[in-house]
Amino acid sequence: MNSTAWDRRSVLRAAGGLAALGALSACGSNTGRPVGGSSGKGLTQYFHAYGEAGTEQAIRRYAKDFGKAEVTTQWITGTNFESKLFSALLSSDAPDVFEFHPQIHMVKARQIVPLDDIIAPVKDDFHAADIASHTMDGKIWGIRMIDDPKFLYYRKSLLEKAGLEPPTTLDALIEAAAKLTTDKVKGLYLGNNLSDIARPMVWSSGAELLTPTNEIAYHTDELVTGLRTLRTLFTSGSLLLDAPADYWDPSAFNQGLTAMQWCGMWAMPAIQKAHGDDVGIIPFPKVTDTGRPSLINGGWSMFVSSKAKDVDLAKEYVKWLWLDRTDYQQDWCLGYGFHIPPRKSLAAKADQLKQGLAAEGVALSERYGHYDNPAFTQAMLNALEGVIADSVRDDKDPEAALDTCDKKVRRELTTLFG
């Protein structure tokens, strides 16, 4: 990966805020553009620019083999994938198919079409959590392509030299970061703005993002305590804060700038190439005694736009590539970085993930992983990550920062659910 590639798990920077959701809801799919029929002779698909070498060539190669239409790929670089996608979905130039995460606001705004008919024959082959996260209003709206757990990577030799065990609590993580910091190496890297650990901070403090009835669940005394603790880490001098690339890129860890780094499973081959067997992984440690370790089971999914020139053709393409062509699905998951195949039959054949560090990663994802909650939209995540910016980086009172977040999230929930 490189610093000009997409900020792969970032919040929406332009079109994904609360105001944008209102615009999306107001727009719906009433554009005057044909939704179905046989008018389309080609298809356009949107992909963010994956950092792993060979991914762009692979997705174009797959598309070229689809014999029923010419498929054009928009490979969107930089950090503006979400803003370009959401702007396009509001326009008459929407992509026919696109990758994103399951988000209920896309359903409420009628921007995507259900895919129950094409996934039905192989539905039971998908991980149950991936089916659940894509099921909204009783229908399945997307096809999961990859599952991406994230961990704390650490150098085994550096912890051993410092007399440390892999940390299991936030306090122990801070202590380890301090002991591992030298003139040349920082103890820990959590990303340049720490935003990606917002959700693990909630889960590891013993809370959830939302209740089963879609009410705020993250605002707890335990999370407030954790945010104050995280502030001490931020000011300790043992946290790497100016890496050349964000957390999703393993270069800081691979170049020896940090002894521990938050990153994803996709980077594991590059990390092992740099450090061999001198690498371990742990989930994000528990924040308080009432919490438990946690990690994000992220990933990307394919959706069909309701504004597709030919919805049936677009669905046929998605079925062909992400349901029928299991060879391409396996190549996409394992040929360029490590991703867990969301289909059980393919995961069973993923020999690369059955031993060593990769097998540990799969086990951690099953034990501690949290999958997408489609009701916790990108705008809500944006607000929650703002709590990290306010209370940890800017030293605002965590209660006040969470109160500000609550107002934004409640407004979003009201828009979605009344």
Side-chain angles (χ1 to χ4, degrees), residues 31-89:
T31 65
R33 183 174 174 179
V35 171
S38 58
S39 59
K41 296 181 180 179
L43 297 171
T44 298
Q45 59 181 357
Y46 272 22
F47 276 79
H48 70 273
Y50 286 71
E52 297 92 336
T55 49
E56 180 180 4
Q57 293 78 6
I59 211 67
R60 295 184 187 278
R61 184 176 72 252
Y62 306 157
K64 190 175 181 180
D65 281 351
F66 183 60
K68 297 189 177 182
E70 181 179 352
V71 182
T72 301
T73 301
Q74 293 288 328
W75 190 259
I76 300 170
T77 60
T79 60
N80 68 336
F81 173 72
E82 293 93 346
S83 61
K84 183 166 184 177
L85 170 63
F86 274 67
S87 294
L89 291 176

Coordinates of all heavy atoms in Angstrom, one line a residue, residues 31-89:
T31 N -35.5 9.8 -10.6 CA -34.6 10.6 -11.5 C -35.1 10.7 -12.9 O -34.5 11.4 -13.7 CB -33.2 10.0 -11.5 OG1 -33.3 8.7 -12.2 CG2 -32.7 9.8 -10.1
G32 N -36.1 10.0 -13.2 CA -36.6 9.9 -14.6 C -35.8 9.0 -15.5 O -36.0 8.9 -16.7
R33 N -34.7 8.4 -14.9 CA -33.9 7.5 -15.7 C -34.4 6.1 -15.6 O -35.0 5.6 -14.6 CB -32.5 7.5 -15.0 CG -31.5 6.6 -15.8 CD -30.1 6.9 -15.1 NE -29.1 6.0 -15.7 CZ -27.8 5.9 -15.4 NH1 -27.4 6.8 -14.5 NH2 -27.0 5.1 -15.9
P34 N -34.4 5.3 -16.7 CA -34.9 4.0 -16.7 C -34.2 3.1 -15.7 O -33.0 3.1 -15.6 CB -34.7 3.5 -18.1 CG -33.6 4.3 -18.7 CD -33.8 5.7 -18.0
V35 N -35.0 2.3 -14.9 CA -34.4 1.4 -13.9 C -34.1 0.1 -14.4 O -33.2 -0.6 -14.0 CB -35.4 1.4 -12.7 CG1 -35.0 0.3 -11.7 CG2 -35.5 2.7 -12.0
G36 N -34.9 -0.5 -15.3 CA -34.7 -1.8 -15.8 C -34.7 -1.9 -17.3 O -34.4 -0.9 -18.0
G37 N -35.1 -3.0 -17.8 CA -35.2 -3.2 -19.3 C -33.9 -3.6 -19.9 O -33.0 -4.1 -19.3
S38 N -33.8 -3.5 -21.2 CA -32.7 -4.0 -22.0 C -31.9 -2.9 -22.7 O -31.3 -3.1 -23.7 CB -33.2 -5.0 -23.0 OG -34.1 -4.4 -23.9
S39 N -32.0 -1.7 -22.1 CA -31.4 -0.5 -22.8 C -29.8 -0.5 -22.6 O -29.2 0.2 -23.4 CB -31.9 0.8 -22.2 OG -31.7 0.9 -20.8
G40 N -29.3 -1.1 -21.6 CA -27.9 -1.0 -21.3 C -27.1 -2.0 -22.1 O -27.3 -3.2 -22.1
K41 N -26.1 -1.6 -22.8 CA -25.1 -2.4 -23.5 C -23.8 -2.6 -22.8 O -23.0 -3.3 -23.2 CB -24.9 -1.9 -24.9 CG -26.2 -1.8 -25.8 CD -25.9 -1.3 -27.2 CE -27.1 -1.3 -28.0 NZ -26.8 -0.8 -29.4
G42 N -23.7 -1.8 -21.7 CA -22.4 -1.9 -21.0 C -22.8 -1.6 -19.5 O -23.9 -1.2 -19.2
L43 N -21.8 -1.9 -18.6 CA -22.0 -1.7 -17.2 C -20.8 -0.9 -16.7 O -19.6 -1.1 -17.2 CB -22.1 -3.0 -16.5 CG -23.2 -3.9 -16.8 CD1 -23.1 -5.3 -16.2 CD2 -24.5 -3.3 -16.3
T44 N -21.0 -0.1 -15.6 CA -19.9 0.6 -15.0 C -19.9 0.1 -13.5 O -20.9 0.0 -12.8 CB -20.1 2.1 -15.0 OG1 -20.1 2.5 -16.4 CG2 -19.0 2.8 -14.3
Q45 N -18.7 -0.2 -13.0 CA -18.5 -0.6 -11.6 C -17.5 0.3 -10.9 O -16.5 0.8 -11.5 CB -18.1 -2.1 -11.5 CG -16.8 -2.4 -12.2 CD -16.4 -3.9 -12.0 OE1 -17.1 -4.6 -11.4 NE2 -15.3 -4.3 -12.6
Y46 N -17.8 0.7 -9.7 CA -16.9 1.5 -8.8 C -16.2 0.6 -7.8 O -16.8 -0.2 -7.1 CB -17.8 2.5 -8.1 CG -18.1 3.8 -8.8 CD1 -18.0 3.9 -10.1 CD2 -18.4 5.0 -8.0 CE1 -18.3 5.1 -10.8 CE2 -18.7 6.2 -8.6 CZ -18.7 6.3 -10.0 OH -18.9 7.4 -10.6
F47 N -14.9 0.8 -7.8 CA -14.0 0.2 -6.8 C -13.1 1.3 -6.2 O -12.6 2.2 -6.9 CB -13.1 -0.9 -7.4 CG -13.8 -2.2 -7.5 CD1 -14.7 -2.5 -8.5 CD2 -13.6 -3.2 -6.6 CE1 -15.3 -3.7 -8.6 CE2 -14.2 -4.4 -6.7 CZ -15.1 -4.7 -7.7
H48 N -12.9 1.2 -4.9 CA -11.9 2.1 -4.3 C -10.5 1.5 -4.7 O -10.4 0.3 -5.0 CB -12.0 2.1 -2.8 CG -11.7 0.9 -2.1 ND1 -12.6 -0.2 -1.9 CD2 -10.5 0.4 -1.6 CE1 -11.9 -1.1 -1.2 NE2 -10.7 -0.8 -1.1
A49 N -9.5 2.2 -4.6 CA -8.1 1.8 -5.0 C -7.5 1.0 -3.9 O -6.9 1.5 -3.0 CB -7.3 2.9 -5.4
Y50 N -7.6 -0.4 -4.0 CA -7.0 -1.2 -3.0 C -5.5 -1.0 -3.1 O -4.9 -0.7 -4.2 CB -7.2 -2.7 -3.4 CG -8.6 -3.2 -3.0 CD1 -9.7 -2.8 -3.8 CD2 -8.8 -4.1 -2.0 CE1 -11.0 -3.2 -3.5 CE2 -10.1 -4.6 -1.7 CZ -11.2 -4.1 -2.4 OH -12.5 -4.6 -2.1
G51 N -4.8 -1.1 -2.0 CA -3.4 -0.9 -1.9 C -2.5 -2.1 -2.4 O -1.4 -1.9 -2.8
E52 N -3.1 -3.3 -2.3 CA -2.3 -4.4 -2.7 C -2.0 -4.5 -4.2 O -2.9 -4.3 -5.0 CB -3.0 -5.7 -2.3 CG -3.3 -5.9 -0.8 CD -4.6 -5.3 -0.3 OE1 -5.1 -4.4 -1.0 OE2 -5.1 -5.7 0.7
A53 N -0.7 -4.7 -4.5 CA -0.3 -4.7 -5.9 C -1.1 -5.8 -6.7 O -1.2 -6.9 -6.2 CB 1.2 -4.9 -6.0
G54 N -1.6 -5.5 -7.9 CA -2.2 -6.4 -8.7 C -3.7 -6.5 -8.7 O -4.4 -7.1 -9.5
T55 N -4.3 -5.8 -7.7 CA -5.7 -5.8 -7.5 C -6.5 -5.1 -8.6 O -7.5 -5.6 -9.1 CB -6.1 -5.2 -6.1 OG1 -5.5 -3.9 -6.0 CG2 -5.7 -6.1 -5.0
E56 N -6.0 -4.0 -9.1 CA -6.7 -3.3 -10.1 C -6.7 -4.1 -11.4 O -7.7 -4.3 -12.1 CB -6.1 -1.9 -10.4 CG -6.7 -1.2 -11.5 CD -6.1 0.2 -11.8 OE1 -5.1 0.5 -11.2 OE2 -6.7 0.9 -12.7
Q57 N -5.5 -4.7 -11.7 CA -5.4 -5.5 -12.9 C -6.3 -6.7 -12.8 O -6.9 -7.2 -13.8 CB -4.0 -6.0 -13.1 CG -3.0 -4.8 -13.5 CD -2.6 -4.0 -12.3 OE1 -2.9 -4.3 -11.1 NE2 -1.8 -2.9 -12.5
A58 N -6.5 -7.3 -11.6 CA -7.3 -8.5 -11.4 C -8.8 -8.2 -11.7 O -9.5 -8.9 -12.4 CB -7.1 -9.0 -10.0
I59 N -9.3 -7.1 -11.1 CA -10.7 -6.8 -11.2 C -11.0 -6.4 -12.7 O -12.1 -6.8 -13.2 CB -11.1 -5.6 -10.3 CG1 -12.6 -5.8 -9.8 CG2 -10.9 -4.3 -10.8 CD1 -12.8 -7.0 -9.0
R60 N -10.1 -5.8 -13.4 CA -10.3 -5.5 -14.8 C -10.3 -6.8 -15.6 O -11.0 -7.0 -16.6 CB -9.3 -4.5 -15.3 CG -9.4 -3.1 -14.7 CD -8.5 -2.2 -15.3 NE -8.4 -0.9 -14.6 CZ -9.3 0.1 -14.8 NH1 -10.3 -0.1 -15.7 NH2 -9.2 1.2 -14.2
R61 N -9.4 -7.7 -15.2 CA -9.3 -9.0 -15.9 C -10.6 -9.8 -15.7 O -11.1 -10.4 -16.7 CB -8.1 -9.8 -15.4 CG -7.9 -11.1 -16.1 CD -6.6 -11.8 -15.7 NE -6.7 -12.4 -14.3 CZ -6.2 -11.9 -13.2 NH1 -5.4 -10.8 -13.3 NH2 -6.3 -12.5 -12.1
Y62 N -11.1 -9.9 -14.5 CA -12.3 -10.6 -14.3 C -13.5 -10.0 -15.2 O -14.2 -10.8 -15.8 CB -12.8 -10.4 -12.8 CG -11.8 -10.8 -11.7 CD1 -12.0 -10.3 -10.5 CD2 -10.8 -11.7 -12.0 CE1 -11.1 -10.6 -9.4 CE2 -9.9 -12.0 -10.9 CZ -10.1 -11.5 -9.7 OH -9.2 -11.8 -8.7
A63 N -13.6 -8.7 -15.1 CA -14.7 -8.0 -15.8 C -14.6 -8.3 -17.3 O -15.7 -8.5 -18.0 CB -14.7 -6.5 -15.6
K64 N -13.4 -8.4 -17.9 CA -13.3 -8.6 -19.3 C -13.8 -9.9 -19.7 O -14.2 -10.1 -20.9 CB -11.8 -8.5 -19.7 CG -11.5 -8.5 -21.2 CD -10.0 -8.2 -21.4 CE -9.7 -8.2 -22.9 NZ -8.3 -8.0 -23.2
D65 N -13.9 -10.9 -18.8 CA -14.3 -12.2 -19.1 C -15.9 -12.4 -19.1 O -16.4 -13.4 -19.5 CB -13.8 -13.3 -18.1 CG -12.3 -13.6 -18.5 OD1 -11.8 -13.2 -19.5 OD2 -11.7 -14.3 -17.7
F66 N -16.6 -11.3 -18.6 CA -18.0 -11.4 -18.7 C -18.5 -11.2 -20.1 O -18.3 -10.1 -20.7 CB -18.6 -10.3 -17.7 CG -20.1 -10.3 -17.6 CD1 -20.8 -11.4 -17.2 CD2 -20.8 -9.2 -18.0 CE1 -22.1 -11.4 -17.1 CE2 -22.2 -9.2 -17.9 CZ -22.9 -10.3 -17.4
G67 N -19.1 -12.1 -20.7 CA -19.4 -12.1 -22.1 C -20.6 -11.4 -22.5 O -20.9 -11.2 -23.7
K68 N -21.5 -10.9 -21.6 CA -22.8 -10.3 -21.9 C -22.8 -8.8 -22.0 O -23.8 -8.3 -22.3 CB -23.8 -10.9 -21.0 CG -24.0 -12.4 -21.1 CD -25.2 -12.9 -20.3 CE -25.3 -14.4 -20.4 NZ -26.5 -14.9 -19.7
A69 N -21.7 -8.2 -21.6 CA -21.6 -6.7 -21.6 C -20.2 -6.3 -21.4 O -19.4 -7.0 -20.8 CB -22.5 -6.1 -20.5
E70 N -19.9 -5.1 -21.9 CA -18.6 -4.5 -21.6 C -18.6 -3.8 -20.3 O -19.5 -3.0 -20.1 CB -18.2 -3.5 -22.7 CG -16.8 -2.9 -22.5 CD -16.4 -1.9 -23.6 OE1 -17.2 -1.9 -24.6 OE2 -15.4 -1.2 -23.4
V71 N -17.8 -4.2 -19.4 CA -17.8 -3.7 -18.0 C -16.6 -2.7 -17.8 O -15.5 -3.1 -18.0 CB -17.7 -4.8 -16.9 CG1 -17.8 -4.2 -15.5 CG2 -18.8 -5.8 -17.2
T72 N -17.0 -1.4 -17.6 CA -16.0 -0.4 -17.3 C -15.8 -0.2 -15.8 O -16.7 -0.1 -15.1 CB -16.5 0.9 -17.9 OG1 -16.7 0.7 -19.3 CG2 -15.4 2.0 -17.7
T73 N -14.5 -0.2 -15.4 CA -14.2 -0.1 -14.0 C -13.7 1.3 -13.7 O -12.8 1.8 -14.3 CB -13.1 -1.1 -13.6 OG1 -13.6 -2.4 -13.9 CG2 -12.7 -0.9 -12.1
Q74 N -14.3 2.0 -12.7 CA -13.8 3.2 -12.2 C -13.0 2.9 -10.9 O -13.6 2.5 -9.9 CB -15.0 4.2 -11.8 CG -15.8 4.7 -13.0 CD -15.0 5.7 -13.8 OE1 -14.2 6.5 -13.3 NE2 -15.2 5.7 -15.1
W75 N -11.7 3.0 -11.0 CA -10.8 2.6 -9.9 C -10.4 3.9 -9.2 O -9.6 4.7 -9.7 CB -9.6 1.9 -10.5 CG -8.7 1.3 -9.5 CD1 -7.5 1.8 -9.0 CD2 -8.8 0.0 -8.9 NE1 -6.9 0.9 -8.2 CE2 -7.7 -0.2 -8.0 CE3 -9.8 -1.0 -8.9 CZ2 -7.5 -1.3 -7.2 CZ3 -9.6 -2.1 -8.1 CH2 -8.5 -2.3 -7.3
I76 N -11.0 4.2 -8.1 CA -11.0 5.5 -7.5 C -9.9 5.6 -6.5 O -10.0 5.0 -5.4 CB -12.4 5.9 -6.9 CG1 -13.5 5.8 -8.0 CG2 -12.4 7.3 -6.3 CD1 -14.9 5.9 -7.5
T77 N -8.9 6.5 -6.8 CA -7.8 6.6 -5.9 C -8.0 7.8 -4.9 O -8.9 8.5 -5.0 CB -6.5 6.9 -6.7 OG1 -6.7 8.1 -7.5 CG2 -6.2 5.7 -7.6
G78 N -7.0 7.9 -4.0 CA -7.1 9.0 -3.0 C -8.1 8.6 -1.9 O -8.5 7.5 -1.7
T79 N -8.5 9.6 -1.1 CA -9.4 9.4 0.0 C -10.8 9.8 -0.2 O -11.6 10.0 0.7 CB -8.8 10.2 1.3 OG1 -8.8 11.6 0.9 CG2 -7.4 9.7 1.6
N80 N -11.1 9.9 -1.5 CA -12.5 10.5 -1.9 C -13.4 9.4 -2.4 O -14.4 9.8 -3.1 CB -12.3 11.6 -2.9 CG -11.8 11.1 -4.2 OD1 -11.2 10.1 -4.3 ND2 -12.1 11.9 -5.3
F81 N -13.1 8.1 -2.2 CA -14.0 7.1 -2.8 C -15.5 7.3 -2.3 O -16.4 7.3 -3.1 CB -13.5 5.7 -2.4 CG -14.5 4.6 -2.8 CD1 -14.6 4.3 -4.2 CD2 -15.3 4.0 -1.9 CE1 -15.5 3.3 -4.6 CE2 -16.2 3.0 -2.3 CZ -16.3 2.7 -3.6
E82 N -15.7 7.4 -1.0 CA -17.0 7.5 -0.5 C -17.7 8.8 -1.0 O -18.9 8.7 -1.4 CB -17.0 7.5 1.0 CG -16.6 6.2 1.7 CD -15.1 6.2 2.0 OE1 -14.4 7.1 1.4 OE2 -14.6 5.3 2.7
S83 N -17.0 9.9 -1.0 CA -17.7 11.1 -1.5 C -18.0 11.0 -3.0 O -19.1 11.5 -3.4 CB -16.8 12.3 -1.2 OG -15.6 12.3 -1.9
K84 N -17.2 10.5 -3.8 CA -17.5 10.3 -5.2 C -18.6 9.3 -5.4 O -19.5 9.6 -6.2 CB -16.2 9.9 -6.0 CG -16.5 9.8 -7.5 CD -15.2 9.7 -8.3 CE -15.5 9.7 -9.8 NZ -14.3 9.6 -10.6
L85 N -18.6 8.2 -4.7 CA -19.7 7.3 -4.8 C -21.0 7.9 -4.4 O -22.0 7.8 -5.2 CB -19.4 6.1 -3.9 CG -20.6 5.1 -3.8 CD1 -20.9 4.4 -5.1 CD2 -20.2 4.0 -2.7
F86 N -21.1 8.5 -3.3 CA -22.4 9.1 -2.8 C -22.8 10.2 -3.7 O -24.1 10.4 -3.9 CB -22.3 9.5 -1.3 CG -22.5 8.3 -0.4 CD1 -21.6 7.3 -0.4 CD2 -23.6 8.3 0.4 CE1 -21.8 6.2 0.5 CE2 -23.9 7.2 1.2 CZ -23.0 6.1 1.2
S87 N -21.9 11.0 -4.2 CA -22.3 12.0 -5.2 C -22.9 11.4 -6.4 O -23.9 11.9 -7.0 CB -21.1 12.9 -5.5 OG -20.7 13.7 -4.4
A88 N -22.2 10.4 -6.9 CA -22.7 9.7 -8.1 C -24.1 9.0 -7.9 O -24.9 9.1 -8.8 CB -21.7 8.6 -8.6
L89 N -24.3 8.5 -6.8 CA -25.6 7.8 -6.5 C -26.7 8.8 -6.5 O -27.9 8.5 -6.7 CB -25.6 7.1 -5.2 CG -24.7 5.8 -5.2 CD1 -24.6 5.2 -3.8 CD2 -25.1 4.8 -6.2

